[in-house]
Amino acid sequence: MVSDVHGNARDLARAGDGADALICLGDLVLFLDYADHSRGIFPDLFGVENADRIVALRTARRFEEAREFGRRLWAGVEGDRAAVIERAVRKQYAEMFAAFPTPTYATYGNVDMPPLWSEYAGPGTTVLDGERVEIGGRVFGFVGGGLRTPMRTPYEISDEEYAAKLEAVGEVDVLCTHIPPEVPELVYDTVARRFERGSRALLDAICRTRPRYALFGHVHQPLVRRMRIGATECVNVGHFAGTGKPWALEW
């Protein structure tokens, strides 16, 4: 089980060793590495100094200044912005999906571009979003993406659309999402020093349907990685880009 891969294809290629299946909870793309500002699409285009600047603005929650700074940088780039980003994302997706073992079950993260996944997912990779599947005799439900934030990442959806996908999944043994339930200890990032967006609808679904596990990522350095909500064990499966270590679910 991995989440927040963010370009770590080397470790991803070994993540499924010894497992019956690999589950990926999204964020394959690396746009900007907040720990190493030299890595990602942004510094490749604009350099490390500009990456330092935009990280500082975002960390200070000066989002409008960050957007204006970004607009000035993009004004100096030849070609359509969306096309430039898509080319860079395609290059990363080709590498990421080639590293997936068979079988892999995956859903989208908030920085992913879902329309491209069907072009790169091979026969051994099953992509699910608002859907369920049986793995090893247990029913797994998958809900991808994130909720809307000032960061405006590519796959952010409305609270209503997110809740509808949870409703479509229904009762499962293991509920797999990219974002965590809206619990302060699970959504607070201790390094970024901010609360990320969790889902109240997800918390309600956990309390109502009582899955055995609720697994997620999104928050890279959470205050708490694991806690029980009623009958459900809630686990942040980790920031795979930084650790290179998958989390194992056994029964």
Side-chain angles (χ1 to χ4, degrees):
M1 179 86 62
V2 300
S3 186
D4 299 86
V5 178
H6 294 301
N8 189 351
R10 181 192 61 189
D11 291 322
L12 184 62
R14 300 191 296 267
D17 289 356
D20 296 321
L22 178 70
I23 292 174
C24 178
L25 302 183
D27 273 10
L28 301 182
V29 172
L30 179 62
F31 191 74
L32 176 57
D33 189 333
Y34 278 58
D36 180 353
H37 303 169
S38 69
R39 298 181 64 243
I41 295 170
F42 189 95
D44 286 348
L45 290 171
F46 303 118
V48 177
E49 288 187 7
N50 287 324
D52 291 341
R53 175 64 176 160
I54 204 160
V55 168
L57 290 171
R58 289 178 175 176
T59 302
R61 302 188 67 80
R62 293 157 60 184
F63 295 116
E64 190 51 49
E65 288 181 63
R67 281 193 287 271
E68 178 56 33
F69 180 60
R71 280 192 287 267
R72 293 199 302 270
L73 292 175
W74 279 105
V77 174
E78 292 186 9
D80 177 69
R81 173 177 174 170
V84 170
I85 292 176
E86 182 176 316
R87 282 197 299 271
V89 170
R90 284 181 175 279
K91 182 178 179 181
Q92 291 190 7
Y93 276 166
E95 189 175 10
M96 295 297 106
F97 279 91
F100 277 146
T102 297
T104 291
Y105 300 88
T107 195
Y108 315 112
N110 61 293
V111 303
D112 285 313
M113 298 176 68
L116 300 183
W117 278 38
S118 61
E119 298 183 37
Y120 294 93
T125 299
T126 302
V127 179
L128 303 124
D129 187 18
E131 299 163 282
R132 40 198 282 154
V133 66
E134 185 176 315
I135 307 172
R138 301 291 193 277
V139 178
F140 286 68
F142 290 80
V143 176
L147 298 175
R148 288 176 182 156
T149 72
M151 300 289 280
R152 299 181 184 178
T153 51
Y155 191 41
E156 295 181 353
I157 61 177
S158 70
D159 290 65
E160 294 76 16
E161 186 178 352
Y162 196 87
K165 291 197 292 186
L166 286 165
E167 187 68 25
V169 166
E171 294 186 13
V172 294
D173 299 308
V174 184
L175 183 54
C176 300
T177 60
H178 178 67
I179 62 174
E182 191 181 83
V183 176
E185 295 89 342
L186 296 176
V187 300
Y188 186 73
D189 191 305
T190 60
V191 174
R193 292 180 295 176
R194 65 169 180 254
F195 290 97
E196 302 289 356
R197 277 216 70 186
S199 168
R200 178 70 199 189
L202 174 56
L203 177 59
D204 291 344
I206 290 169
C207 294
R208 185 178 67 255
T209 65
R210 297 163 59 88
R212 183 174 178 182
Y213 289 96
L215 308 176
F216 47 86
H218 186 57
V219 182
H220 294 175
Q221 295 89 198
L223 187 63
V224 173
R225 291 196 176 275
R226 188 169 188 151
M227 70 185 302
R228 183 168 288 276
I229 298 176
T232 303
E233 191 71 19
C234 299
V235 184
N236 184 318
V237 303
H239 177 210
F240 187 76
T243 68
K245 297 178 181 177
W247 183 83
L249 175 61
E250 299 178 350
W251 61 73

